[in-house]
């Protein structure tokens, strides 16, 4: 039996008379998928963002230097690290960052950066602004260790993937097409590809956010897409 792409298009249109009005999800369900549905179903991205902003406001303000600019470099580095982590103590508690190794890693980062900015930290005019820059870097580092930030990042990522899916559907609304979202070769296609003699190994495993399949004249066009969100 000879079947052409035109035959497949016509059959699909017959089976799905509203094909050019809205997308269909298989299996049936919402196109938008939220990975946090089971753990944070009612927490919006803006709620998480506000929590992080509120936590930052609790960070103690540094108004004076915790050292003398004529002190030794070792003393300056130590006092910078101690002072900055002291100002972040309440933030660390508020955001429930409990991994001591990660907290110590942030302090080591601060002291390392302080060593690289020693000239500024020994300058009467630049010392305090430089110390505040180091404090800001420490805050950013602590923030990313929190569950609130991880949930926020994941939710924004899901929103980005959803918007991308919507844009793809809009672009293909007048073309018979299929879009597959969020699949990994090893998880979803190992069996099918194995039947074709294609082995999925750790070094060739791939995860794609989106794959679009649509026709163009007598050809089947396949487009792979990755979605990245910047925070």
């Amino acid at each position: 039996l000879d079947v052409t792409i035109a035959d497949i298009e016509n059959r699909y249109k017959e089976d799905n008379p509203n094909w050019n009005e809205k997308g269909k999800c298989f299996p049936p369900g919402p196109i938008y998928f939220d990975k946090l549905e089971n753990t944070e179903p009612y927490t919006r991205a803006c709620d998480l963002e506000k929590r992080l902003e509120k936590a930052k406001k609790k960070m103690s303000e540094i108004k004076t230097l915790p050292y003398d600019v004529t002190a030794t470099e070792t003393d300056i580095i130590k006092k910078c690290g101690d002072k900055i982590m002291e100002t972040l103590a309440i933030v660390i508690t508020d955001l429930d960052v409990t991994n001591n190794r990660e907290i110590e890693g942030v302090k080591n980062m601060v002291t390392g950066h302080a060593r690289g900015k020693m000239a500024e930290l020994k300058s009467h005019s630049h010392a305090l602004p430089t110390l505040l820059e180091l404090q800001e870097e420490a805050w950013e580092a602590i923030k990313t260790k929190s569950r609130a930030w991880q949930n926020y990042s994941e939710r924004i990522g899901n929103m980005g993937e959803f918007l991308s899916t919507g844009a793809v559907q809009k672009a293909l609304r007048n073309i018979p097409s299929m879009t597959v979202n969020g699949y990994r070769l090893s998880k979803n296609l190992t069996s099918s590809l194995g039947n074709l003699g294609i082995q999925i190994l750790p070094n060739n495993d791939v995860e794609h956010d989106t794959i679009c399949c649509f026709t163009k004249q007598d050809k089947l066009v396949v487009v792979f897409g990755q979605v990245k969100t910047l925070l």
Side-chain angles (χ1 to χ4, degrees), residues 65-79:
L65 294 176
Y67 61 87
D68 190 295
V69 293
T70 61
T72 64
E73 292 187 4
T74 301
D75 188 47
I76 291 175
I77 291 172
K78 182 180 184 304
K79 288 186 176 179

Side-chain angles (χ1 to χ4, degrees), residues 32-33 45 154-164 227 229:
Y32 175 63
F33 176 70
E154 190 166 350
R155 179 142 286 162
I156 291 295
N158 291 340
M159 291 166 63
E161 292 180 14
F162 171 65
L163 289 173
S164 174
V227 180
T229 56

Side-chain angles (χ1 to χ4, degrees), residues 176-188:
S177 59
M178 179 180 70
T179 302
V180 180
N181 298 320
Y183 72 94
R184 178 176 287 278
L185 295 183
S186 61
K187 181 179 180 181
N188 306 110

Side-chain angles (χ1 to χ4, degrees), residues 95-179:
L95 292 179
D96 197 27
V97 180
T98 58
N99 189 315
N100 291 328
R101 180 175 295 181
E102 290 183 341
I103 296 171
E104 190 64 27
V106 173
K107 185 174 182 179
N108 291 338
M109 179 202 74
V110 170
T111 56
H113 289 185
R115 185 176 293 106
K117 295 179 179 290
M118 188 52 60
E120 292 89 339
L121 291 171
K122 278 180 164 288
S123 167
H124 288 283
S125 58
H126 295 96
L128 188 56
T130 302
L131 188 62
L132 294 175
E133 289 176 10
L134 292 173
Q135 184 189 37
E136 182 68 21
E137 291 175 7
W139 149 252
E140 291 292 334
I142 285 293
K143 176 181 71 175
T144 61
K145 311 298 182 189
S146 70
R147 173 54 58 184
W149 170 261
Q150 292 164 15
N151 287 347
Y152 174 67
S153 178
E154 190 166 350
R155 179 142 286 162
I156 291 295
N158 291 340
M159 291 166 63
E161 292 180 14
F162 171 65
L163 289 173
S164 174
T165 299
V168 169
Q169 285 194 330
K170 185 175 181 180
L172 298 175
R173 63 183 179 276
N174 294 319
I175 304 173
S177 59
M178 179 180 70
T179 302

